Amino acid sequence: MKFTTAAVVLMAGVAGLLSSCKQEQSSYTMDSLQGVATITGVVKYNPGYQEVASGESVLDGYYVPVEGVTVNVNVPYSSLGISGSGSKAYSATTDASGRYEIQLPMSASATSINNVEVTVESFYKTYNLYQKGSQETQFVVIPIDDALYNVKNKQNVNANRNNVNVVEDLLCDAEYEIDAEYAGVATITGEVTYYPGYWIDSSGTPKESEDRAAIGAEVSASVTIGNEQRTFTTTVNSNGTYKLSIPVSVKSSTSSVTLSVKSYVAPYNDYEYDTQSRKYVIVTDEYHTYSGRNAYVTAVRDGEVEQVFVLGSY
């Protein structure tokens, strides 16, 4: 009998405890969330080059719906009748039209939800750069696979009870390595010579020598890629010529290039009069340093530009 009484008391205590827990959690039950607010909209992305009509092409600023990406909606706890800071997240996936729809439960006492944050999770798609062909008559597409897309216009909206709240289009742009944009090529060729000084002809008269090939001289091209200055180098071959291929943005047909030749060491022949032989003789300086001024050229994509350097003392 004592055991039965104790059991009844214990069961009553448990029931009271459960009742107390339920009461504390009642701020977030379906009984208190008697309305809904519907959030809907469209997600679009810029795939880069695309033919929008026969013979008409665009590079940028043309957005199309994107399927299969996740849209997140964050609702402040205060709008759900829950005390404390923070928010509750809801999500949906866009359909073939880029459309999403999310229903948000609302507190029985609320007529609207304020400061609802709507955003898009990052996703990967192909982004198409383009360049005109070498004859500038047709477009050539250069796809960048798996370009990262991020939304550029996250939205904060107010949603009303039992209404369909249409959100402004969420637009997503591609992010990719800047090098991918520089798939065009320009070629720079030329020759580098230096003035070796003098020679003595058969009559004993000093004569100026013809310029000679600066074999092994280093030629550099400085090019701006994105916000970075990069340098490309080559050496002069046995014919005294050089050839440099530099990247050019596929969005542009030209690139400004600074060309330079590293200081070059070679023999220099001067002459003096020998009083004993009463003749002019050659005096050689084995360590004469030759240099040239920088050159500024415009390199053309899919084209070639020539620049000749004559090294000497300035």
Side-chain angles (χ1 to χ4, degrees):
M1 204 50 194
K2 289 181 181 180
F3 174 77
T4 303
T5 301
V8 171
V9 172
L10 178 60
M11 290 176 64
V14 171
L17 180 60
L18 292 175
S19 175
S20 174
C21 291
K22 182 177 180 181
Q23 188 172 12
E24 289 177 2
Q25 296 176 0
S26 64
S27 61
Y28 190 48
T29 65
M30 292 312 295
D31 291 337
S32 63
L33 300 175
Q34 297 177 354
V36 295
T38 302
I39 300 287
T40 187
V42 175
V43 180
K44 297 180 178 181
Y45 79 115
N46 175 15
Y49 165 86
Q50 55 190 312
E51 193 169 64
V52 296
S54 179
E56 181 184 354
S57 303
V58 296
L59 170 65
D60 206 4
Y62 191 82
Y63 292 82
V64 298
V66 57
E67 180 182 7
V69 300
T70 301
V71 178
N72 291 320
V73 175
N74 292 302
V75 182
Y77 281 146
S78 57
S79 297
L80 298 172
I82 303 175
S83 60
S85 61
S87 62
K88 183 169 179 59
Y90 299 85
S91 64
T93 303
T94 58
D95 61 18
S97 300
R99 184 177 178 275
Y100 63 91
E101 182 177 300
I102 300 174
Q103 290 191 329
L104 308 176
M106 293 182 62
S107 169
S109 61
T111 59
S112 65
I113 308 175
N114 298 322
N115 299 318
V116 177
E117 183 183 80
V118 185
T119 189
V120 181
E121 290 187 5
S122 299
F123 59 92
Y124 293 91
K125 291 283 185 182
T126 297
Y127 179 76
N128 295 317
L129 287 167
Y130 82 97
Q131 67 177 14
K132 286 187 176 181
S134 57
Q135 302 302 315
E136 300 292 322
T137 57
Q138 63 181 358
F139 288 100
V140 178
V141 177
I142 301 174
I144 300 177
D145 295 328
D146 294 328
L148 176 66
Y149 279 84
N150 284 310
V151 67
K152 70 174 188 178
N153 60 334
K154 180 172 61 176
Q155 299 289 327
N156 286 293
V157 300
N158 297 330
N160 297 318
R161 171 194 291 275
N162 297 332
N163 281 346
V164 176
N165 301 270
V166 180
V167 178
E168 180 183 340
D169 288 350
L170 295 168
L171 306 178
C172 302
D173 285 336
E175 299 177 8
Y176 50 87
E177 292 293 330
I178 192 66
D179 285 353
E181 185 182 317
Y182 286 77
V185 175
T187 303
I188 301 173
T189 61
E191 61 180 19
V192 182
T193 59
Y194 72 99
Y195 170 58
Y198 298 86
W199 61 284
I200 306 298
D201 67 8
S202 58
S203 66
T205 304
K207 300 287 186 179
E208 290 191 7
S209 298
E210 293 182 355
D211 294 337
R212 295 180 184 174
I215 300 172
E218 183 178 285
V219 181
S220 299
S222 180
V223 186
T224 301
I225 296 181
N227 296 320
E228 181 182 350
Q229 202 74 13
R230 298 195 192 176
T231 301
F232 301 85
T233 62
T234 189
T235 54
V236 177
N237 62 27
S238 59
N239 296 322
T241 62
Y242 68 91
K243 180 178 180 180
L244 267 172
S245 295
I246 63 168
V248 178
S249 172
V250 297
K251 293 182 179 179
S252 173
S253 60
T254 61
S255 179
S256 297
V257 182
T258 302
L259 286 173
S260 60
V261 181
K262 189 175 180 179
S263 295
Y264 181 70
V265 177
Y268 176 80
N269 296 321
D270 205 346
Y271 67 92
E272 64 181 25
Y273 186 75
D274 184 10
T275 56
Q276 291 185 354
S277 64
R278 297 183 180 181
K279 295 180 180 179
Y280 288 104
V281 295
I282 294 297
V283 179
T284 301
D285 179 359
E286 294 288 349
Y287 302 99
H288 192 85
T289 300
Y290 298 85
S291 61
R293 296 187 180 94
N294 289 348
Y296 305 93
V297 301
T298 298
V300 181
R301 190 187 65 226
D302 299 330
E304 182 176 313
V305 62
E306 184 176 350
Q307 177 63 45
V308 174
F309 287 95
V310 180
L311 306 182
S313 299
Y314 297 97

